[in-house]
């Protein structure tokens, strides 16, 4: 799948202004990206969620990451990075390509890839300031388990359009989590 240069910019900006409070210097363009990401994900919807009510499921989003009273920056960045990587992996499959509009899917993937690059730089800087990876294992493991449940669900539903629609809505929900996590970092 070829990525166009304009689509690389599309999702570079996933998070709202709270991310600028990190000591790493992320591009200012990140401030508007979350809305653009939500827009692309919204445009990807091609069937009514109402017609897929029987396919809804609880993926057991790892709420403990949101409810933690003290979140370190490096840990939060690690979780965000892992989530973005897992979202990229999820949508970068043949099964996903068969369901979604190719142009919108390319925009989503290109933006996620660019965002991952930006976050890797920031994560390395924060890890240097806050110490080792020891505190990051449990949250990123919870993220991996969460996405494993999503992958198993898609397999069980034979990658149906309704199953992908349920997953698309779930991924949009993740962006709300990001707001909560980045707000905690500002405190």
């Amino acid at each position: 799948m070829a990525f166009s240069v304009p689509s690389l910019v599309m999702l570079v900006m996933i998070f709202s202004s709270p991310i600028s409070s990190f000591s790493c210097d992320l591009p200012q363009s990140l401030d508007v990206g979350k809305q653009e990401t939500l827009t692309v994900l919204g445009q990807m919807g091609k069937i009514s969620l109402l017609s897929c009510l029987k396919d809804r499921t609880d993926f057991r989003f790892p709420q403990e990451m949101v409810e933690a009273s003290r979140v370190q920056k490096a840990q939060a960045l690690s979780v965000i990075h892992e989530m973005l990587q897992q979202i990229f992996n999820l949508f970068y499959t043949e099964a996903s390509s068969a369901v979604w509009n190719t142009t919108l899917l390319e925009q989503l993937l290109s933006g996620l890839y660019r965002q991952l690059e930006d976050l890797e730089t920031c994560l390395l800087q924060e890890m240097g300031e806050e110490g080792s990876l020891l505190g990051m294992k449990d949250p990123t493991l919870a993220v991996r388990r969460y996405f494993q449940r999503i992958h198993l669900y898609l397999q069980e539903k034979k990658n149906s359009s309704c199953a992908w629609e349920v997953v698309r809505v779930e991924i949009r929900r993740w962006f709300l989590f990001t707001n909560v996590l980045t707000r905690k970092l500002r405190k």
Side-chain angles (χ1 to χ4, degrees):
M1 177 181 306
F3 300 117
S4 63
V5 175
S7 62
L8 281 174
V9 178
M10 181 62 178
L11 293 176
V12 169
M13 313 109 358
I14 290 185
F15 309 103
S16 57
S17 59
I19 197 130
S20 64
S21 67
F22 298 145
S23 61
C24 62
D25 187 24
L26 290 177
Q28 189 175 357
S29 60
L30 292 172
D31 293 344
V32 296
K34 186 179 104 188
Q35 186 59 44
E36 291 179 7
T37 300
L38 291 171
T39 300
V40 171
L41 284 168
Q43 291 171 345
M44 288 174 75
K46 62 182 187 178
I47 58 175
S48 169
L49 191 56
L50 292 174
S51 65
C52 299
L53 289 177
K54 67 182 182 342
D55 292 304
R56 288 185 317 164
T57 190
D58 180 6
F59 294 109
R60 297 186 316 270
F61 185 79
Q63 288 293 338
E64 66 274 6
M65 293 183 295
V66 178
E67 296 164 0
S69 60
R70 189 175 144 180
V71 179
Q72 296 177 352
K73 288 180 186 178
Q75 187 177 37
L77 287 171
S78 177
V79 166
I80 292 167
H81 185 273
E82 184 66 28
M83 291 290 286
L84 288 170
Q85 183 65 58
Q86 293 292 333
I87 293 168
F88 181 90
N89 294 345
L90 182 67
F91 283 94
Y92 192 69
T93 62
E94 276 188 49
S96 175
S97 296
V99 174
W100 303 117
N101 172 291
T102 305
T103 302
L104 292 172
L105 184 59
E106 284 180 3
Q107 288 176 339
L108 180 68
L109 292 171
S110 296
L112 288 170
Y113 181 79
R114 177 73 177 158
Q115 183 62 44
L116 284 164
E117 287 182 335
D118 291 345
L119 280 176
E120 285 173 10
T121 302
C122 189
L123 181 59
L124 290 173
Q125 181 179 343
E126 288 298 327
M127 284 174 26
E129 292 174 12
E130 293 187 19
S132 73
L133 291 168
L134 293 177
M136 291 184 232
K137 286 185 180 178
D138 290 340
T140 56
L141 182 59
V143 170
R144 288 184 192 122
R145 287 180 180 154
Y146 168 70
F147 275 92
Q148 183 62 32
R149 289 187 292 272
I150 292 174
H151 284 284
L152 290 173
Y153 166 81
L154 287 168
Q155 287 175 354
E156 178 184 304
K157 297 290 185 175
K158 299 183 184 347
N159 288 293
S160 72
S161 294
C162 273
W164 274 105
E165 181 62 18
V166 168
V167 169
R168 182 189 67 83
V169 170
E170 181 73 12
I171 298 305
R172 288 186 70 178
R173 184 175 163 229
W174 174 76
F175 288 98
L176 297 174
F177 158 75
T178 308
N179 282 339
V180 172
L181 189 59
T182 53
R183 265 187 240 124
K184 286 185 180 237
L185 291 172
R186 281 193 288 171
K187 293 180 180 181

